[in-house]
Amino acid sequence: MRQLLVFAERDAAEEVAETLAEWFPELGVPRVVRETLAGEDDAEDAQWLVVAEDLDPDSLSRVDELVERHDGWREES
């Protein structure tokens, strides 16, 4: 299942993507993308997403802790 890790800051998203690549080298480096919310006029309100595929469900609590340390959250997609 795809996991979307959501952050307000690009730096946080990039740091989490790098950490996940170190923790789970078999998955490669997760993509970091910018998502503008529907109806938002201000580009400052855009969120940064780390798209992580095929994470082991047993590792999600560890991922959640990492994401929370960077003021983000995780959503399943």
Side-chain angles (χ1 to χ4, degrees):
M1 177 158 288
R2 179 185 308 171
Q3 305 296 322
L4 301 177
L5 312 178
V6 184
F7 303 92
E9 302 293 329
R10 179 181 183 173
D11 291 343
E14 289 176 344
E15 187 172 333
V16 168
E18 290 173 11
T19 301
L20 292 177
E22 291 172 10
W23 288 358
F24 310 106
E26 68 278 6
L27 301 179
V29 178
R31 292 181 296 135
V32 176
V33 296
R34 190 165 191 193
E35 178 183 68
T36 304
L37 301 175
E40 292 294 334
D41 294 330
D42 189 357
E44 295 293 319
D45 292 331
Q47 296 175 321
W48 290 92
L49 305 178
V50 175
V51 182
E53 304 273 352
D54 302 323
L55 286 173
D56 180 2
D58 294 334
S59 67
L60 292 180
S61 63
R62 185 177 178 199
V63 171
D64 286 341
E65 290 175 14
L66 173 66
V67 170
E68 288 174 14
R69 282 197 309 261
H70 293 282
D71 297 321
W73 66 92
R74 177 176 60 86
E75 297 178 1
E76 290 187 359
S77 153

